[in-house]
Amino acid sequence: MKLRGLYAITDSQLLAGKFLSYVEAALEGGVTLLQYRDKSSDEARRLREAEALRDLCDRYKTQLIINDDAELAARLNVGVHLGQTDGPLMPVRALLGRQAIIGSTCHAQLELAEQAAKEGASYVAFGRFFNSNTKPGAPACSLDLLDQARSKLHLPICAIGGITLDNAAPLVAHGVDLLAVVHGLFGAESTAEVTRRARAFNELFKS
Ligand SMILES: Cc1ncc(COP(=O)(O)OP(=O)(O)O)c(N)n1
Ligand SMILES: Cc1nc(C(=O)O)sc1CCOP(=O)(O)O
Ligand SMILES: [Mg+2]
């Protein structure tokens, strides 16, 4: 499966009271990957929500990725996204199998991406590219790094951090395969606007 297009990421606070309706609206507009990102330790709710997302993703033929939690990903037979403090990648690859999608946060460091590629990552994520409401403290990353990454790496490149429809086009022009977005997608006022935004993000990959 080609990993290219919109990578929608959930946010439990932003989506409170409209979680599934907003996610479904995004899937309606087209989502290549959907990440369940919930930083709480409420295991029961996390399992319930992740199962609901898996069922929704099955209906829309979208791939579900769980943030941080390889055990939950294994339980649901879906992919996982790992940051630099979320544990080593290789045992997770062994746990989830060769086909599973495993993403790796590489901040603004090409060496981290080269290491992740060696260890079997399915995609590497660089960021943050713009100011992020969701994660204000994330280290900054430049378009120059994308050019270097594009020439050195042979796996999909994901960009994250403050991405909106107004600032995403240069990222795609610099070789990004996946646009990972929270507020720029789910910060919309209505489900119709979420769907419109998802479609518009995907349009950026067609020109
Ligand atoms: C697609 C994508 N890229 C980066 C991250 C950030 O992961 P991490 O550094 O582990 O931070 P948290 O998201 O866990 O707070 C991500 N989740 N997804
Ligand atoms: C979860 C996350 N990781 C980042 C990184 O730079 O590693 S930025 C980020 C938040 C992305 O949300 P928004 O689209 O609202 O800025
Ligand atoms: Mg993490």
Side-chain angles (χ1 to χ4, degrees):
M1 188 229 179
K2 206 169 175 206
L3 295 184
R4 191 167 162 81
L6 175 61
Y7 186 170
I9 302 184
T10 68
D11 179 288
S12 303
Q13 280 82 47
L14 186 62
L15 293 177
K18 52 190 183 187
F19 187 72
L20 287 180
S21 62
Y22 265 47
V23 170
E24 183 159 10
L27 298 184
E28 196 67 49
V31 170
T32 301
L33 298 179
L34 175 74
Q35 182 182 126
Y36 176 54
R37 181 173 182 271
D38 177 279
K39 302 300 284 186
S40 82
S41 52
D42 185 341
E43 302 270 321
R45 184 171 54 81
R46 284 166 54 74
L47 176 60
R48 201 170 57 242
E49 289 183 347
E51 280 178 337
L53 291 184
R54 185 201 46 195
D55 294 347
L56 207 47
C57 283
D58 284 350
R59 272 179 43 215
Y60 283 87
K61 303 203 182 330
T62 296
Q63 305 274 342
L64 179 63
I65 307 294
I66 305 290
N67 189 42
D68 294 337
D69 190 342
E71 298 297 326
L72 181 56
R75 185 163 176 176
L76 299 185
N77 196 24
V78 299
V80 71
H81 184 91
L82 299 175
Q84 292 299 320
T85 57
D86 297 325
L89 199 150
M90 276 158 69
V92 174
R93 171 59 71 200
L95 175 72
L96 298 184
R98 286 176 49 204
Q99 301 295 326
I101 297 173
I102 302 179
S104 173
T105 297
C106 301
H107 301 298
Q109 296 176 51
L110 203 50
E111 311 73 51
L112 291 178
E114 288 173 322
Q115 185 62 31
K118 273 192 210 139
E119 292 177 4
S122 313
Y123 68 84
V124 289
F126 296 107
R128 63 171 169 84
F129 282 92
F130 307 101
N131 290 332
S132 169
N133 286 327
T134 310
K135 203 161 182 183
C141 188
S142 71
L143 291 176
D144 280 356
L145 184 102
L146 284 180
D147 296 336
Q148 294 172 44
R150 193 64 290 168
S151 66
K152 289 204 166 169
L153 301 170
H154 302 287
L155 77 175
I157 293 174
C158 172
I160 190 167
I163 298 172
T164 66
L165 283 168
D166 292 334
N167 62 26
L171 298 170
V172 179
H174 283 260
V176 160
D177 300 288
L178 291 161
L179 292 169
V181 188
V182 182
H183 263 80
L185 177 66
F186 290 123
E189 288 296 321
S190 66
T191 52
E193 175 61 8
V194 172
T195 303
R196 186 197 73 79
R197 290 184 187 185
R199 288 203 178 108
F201 274 115
N202 285 304
E203 283 300 314
L204 296 172
F205 290 92
K206 291 181 184 160
S207 47

